[in-house]
C-alpha cells in the first residue's frame, strides 16, 4: 500500500470528476452524488481517451470519444465499444484532502 495525499477535496463536488496525476499515473477521481469517492485510470480501455473529460452518469463514466461506459465502483466496462476494464484505486477523504492508494510499481491491468 502506498497512500498519496492530494489536496483536492474542496475542488471535487458531488457528481463531479477530475483528472490528476498521482505517483506519475494519470487518474480520474470521482465523487458520486451520494458523496462516495472512486479513482480509476484516466485512460479509456478502448482507444485511450481521457475519462476525466467524460461525463459522470450516476455510478458510470461515459467516455467522451465513443461513449463507452465504465462502472466507477469496479472499473468494469458496461457499454460498448469499451470491453476491457480500467484499473481502480482505493481513495478516501481526510478533511479537504484525498488519500489515494497508488502502488509505486504499477503493471498494466
Ligand atoms: S476511446 Fe473511449 S469508447 Fe472509444
Amino acid at each position: 500500500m502506498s497512500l498519496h495525499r492530494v489536496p483536492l477535496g474542496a475542488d471535487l463536488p458531488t457528481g463531479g470528476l477530475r483528472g490528476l496525476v498521482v505517483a506519475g499515473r494519470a487518474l480520474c477521481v470521482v465523487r458520486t452524488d451520494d458523496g462516495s469517492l472512486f479513482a480509476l485510470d484516466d485512460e479509456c480501455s478502448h482507444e485511450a481517451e481521457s475519462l476525466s473529460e467524460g461525463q459522470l452518469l450516476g455510478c458510470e463514466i461515459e467516455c467522451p470519444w465513443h461513449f463507452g461506459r465504465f462502472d466507477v465502483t469496479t472499473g468494469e466496462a458496461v457499454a460498448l465499444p469499451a470491453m476491457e476494464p480500467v484499473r481502480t484505486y482505493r481513495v478516501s477523504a481526510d478533511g479537504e484532502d484525498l488519500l489515494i492508494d497508488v502502488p509505486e510499481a504499477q503493471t498494466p491491468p
Side-chain angles (χ1 to χ4, degrees):
M1 182 168 81
S2 182
L3 282 180
H4 298 267
R5 181 176 294 273
V6 180
L8 186 67
D11 293 331
L12 185 62
T14 56
L17 67 170
R18 182 150 323 232
L20 64 150
V21 176
V22 178
R25 193 158 187 98
L27 302 183
C28 174
V29 179
V30 171
R31 191 188 308 267
T32 56
D33 288 335
D34 69 358
S36 298
L37 292 164
F38 300 94
L40 311 88
D41 274 337
D42 192 11
E43 182 176 286
C44 181
S45 63
H46 180 232
E47 290 187 4
E49 179 69 357
S50 173
L51 293 176
S52 63
E53 300 297 322
Q55 285 191 73
L56 182 62
L57 304 166
C59 285
E60 297 179 0
I61 291 179
E62 184 178 73
C63 177
W65 190 242
H66 306 109
F67 310 113
R69 289 190 187 188
F70 298 88
D71 183 326
V72 300
T73 68
T74 63
E76 290 297 316
V78 295
L80 295 172
M83 293 190 289
E84 298 298 321
V86 294
R87 185 185 295 264
T88 60
Y89 302 86
R90 291 186 323 133
V91 58
S92 59
D94 181 24
E96 294 296 309
D97 294 345
L98 301 181
L99 299 175
I100 306 176
D101 184 4
V102 180
E104 298 299 335
Q106 287 287 311
T107 55

